[in-house]
Amino acid sequence: GHSALQRDMTDTDGYGTMLLAVMAFRVYDSYQKRGTVSRDTIHKFLSDVHGDESYKAQGIRKTLDAMFTIPESPADRNASTLTGGVIGRVVSSLTASQFCNGVSETLEGTNHVLLDWVATVGSAMLPPIDIPPSTSAYVEAIQSSHRSTSRICQKYGLAEGRLYEIKRR
């Protein structure tokens, strides 16, 4: 039995999903820093991201039930697949390996409730594609854009030094 991370390394999309799962695990683990993620911690993150008690929605609850139930044998895994129910030992927290396996088992196409918002945040942090190779060219491009600080200050009659003071506070 290979873990989901090892199994999916041959599949580029699967490997990317597992890397995202590892990153998501680290984000969830950062709350308590115990090397495991509890269901309660995930509930807190989901409430912050999707709204209070969003984790109680049927689809999310079903996903979490499946992730926090560890099949104790291949027969449990087969029975879970056949019945659509979850059979195995219910755990209160997951290790990184269990989390990644749980994500792999509950992935719906390319979507997963525990990964989607992490992917969105990660994508938002990526720089624009058309960044010039040199820093000076990048700064020049910013200053010449309609969003540069000096142009905004000119447009609204602000002293640039005052704007930086406001930002500093």
Side-chain angles (χ1 to χ4, degrees):
H2 295 291
S3 73
L5 184 58
Q6 291 170 331
R7 185 174 60 243
D8 288 339
M9 285 177 68
T10 57
D11 173 21
T12 306
D13 291 338
Y15 181 66
T17 301
M18 286 301 101
L19 285 178
L20 184 58
V22 170
M23 186 174 98
F25 176 84
R26 296 290 172 225
V27 169
Y28 295 124
D29 181 44
S30 70
Y31 181 70
Q32 294 180 329
K33 298 179 183 151
R34 293 184 180 161
T36 61
V37 174
S38 70
R39 189 167 180 151
D40 187 52
T41 297
I42 290 178
H43 288 178
K44 289 176 185 177
F45 272 94
L46 290 173
S47 290
D48 288 345
V49 173
H50 297 289
D52 290 338
E53 300 190 358
S54 58
Y55 59 88
K56 291 182 178 179
Q58 184 178 358
I60 294 174
R61 196 173 67 243
K62 184 178 176 183
T63 297
L64 293 178
D65 287 349
M67 288 185 69
F68 282 86
T69 304
I70 308 301
E72 293 185 329
S73 70
D76 285 351
R77 187 175 312 279
N78 292 339
S80 293
T81 303
L82 292 174
T83 64
V86 183
I87 298 172
R89 180 175 43 93
V90 176
V91 295
S92 59
S93 61
L94 300 171
T95 64
S97 177
Q98 290 169 328
F99 182 87
C100 290
N101 281 327
V103 165
S104 178
E105 303 272 330
T106 57
L107 198 62
E108 296 177 15
T110 58
N111 299 324
H112 197 284
V113 68
L114 300 181
L115 303 184
D116 293 346
W117 73 270
V118 176
T120 301
V121 169
S123 294
M125 291 189 298
L126 293 173
I129 293 172
D130 58 346
I131 291 183
S134 77
T135 305
S136 59
Y138 184 57
V139 169
E140 195 175 298
I142 290 173
Q143 288 176 340
S144 67
S145 79
H146 67 282
R147 296 181 60 192
S148 75
T149 306
S150 59
R151 287 186 185 239
I152 292 170
C153 288
Q154 266 182 329
K155 182 176 179 179
Y156 295 104
L158 300 171
E160 211 167 323
R162 178 87 174 126
L163 188 63
Y164 288 118
E165 179 62 22
I166 292 167
K167 183 179 177 184
R168 185 186 68 80
R169 289 185 188 177

